Amino acid sequence: MLFAIYRLDKPNAVELRLKTRPVHLDYLRSQSHRLFTAGPVLADDGKTPIGSLLLVECTNEAEARAFAAADPYDRAGLFQSLTIHPWRKVFSAPAVGGAPG
């Protein structure tokens, strides 16, 4: 089952995010077989990362929480909040807007 993992960064945490990003990406690459999609949540300027949204294949919510807890971003203390919900794909349109970020 897919789970949506939604996390918001602590205020003024962009430097911590950027510092931790390389090991975070390594973690995601090591788990790519489980990832449906993943990327940053952006501020109103459309550029500044303020959180993360991941859709991850897990057997249950406990496994999704363990996945989130193992993320180097989480271990670095980047996030102020975490929300996890089961998610189901109903519709998918072609990508809009160019290359993924």
Side-chain angles (χ1 to χ4, degrees):
M1 168 177 275
L2 287 170
F3 284 84
I5 299 173
Y6 180 74
R7 300 177 288 193
L8 286 177
D9 296 357
K10 292 178 180 173
N12 306 308
V14 173
E15 284 186 39
L16 177 58
R17 174 177 275 274
L18 294 176
K19 178 181 158 188
T20 313
R21 188 170 189 265
V23 291
H24 162 73
L25 293 177
D26 286 344
Y27 174 68
L28 293 184
R29 281 185 202 96
S30 77
Q31 298 297 311
S32 63
H33 61 284
R34 309 172 73 172
L35 289 175
F36 184 75
T37 193
V41 174
L42 303 175
D44 291 340
D45 65 9
K47 297 178 184 176
T48 306
I50 60 167
S52 297
L53 175 63
L54 300 90
L55 298 177
V56 182
E57 182 72 35
C58 296
T59 57
N60 54 45
E61 184 177 331
E63 187 178 315
R65 287 190 179 280
F67 178 93
D71 187 328
Y73 275 167
D74 193 77
R75 291 177 181 225
L78 177 64
F79 302 116
Q80 70 175 346
S81 65
L82 167 67
T83 304
I84 297 177
H85 291 284
W87 184 86
R88 177 179 47 226
K89 179 181 172 183
V90 174
F91 178 79
S92 182
V96 178

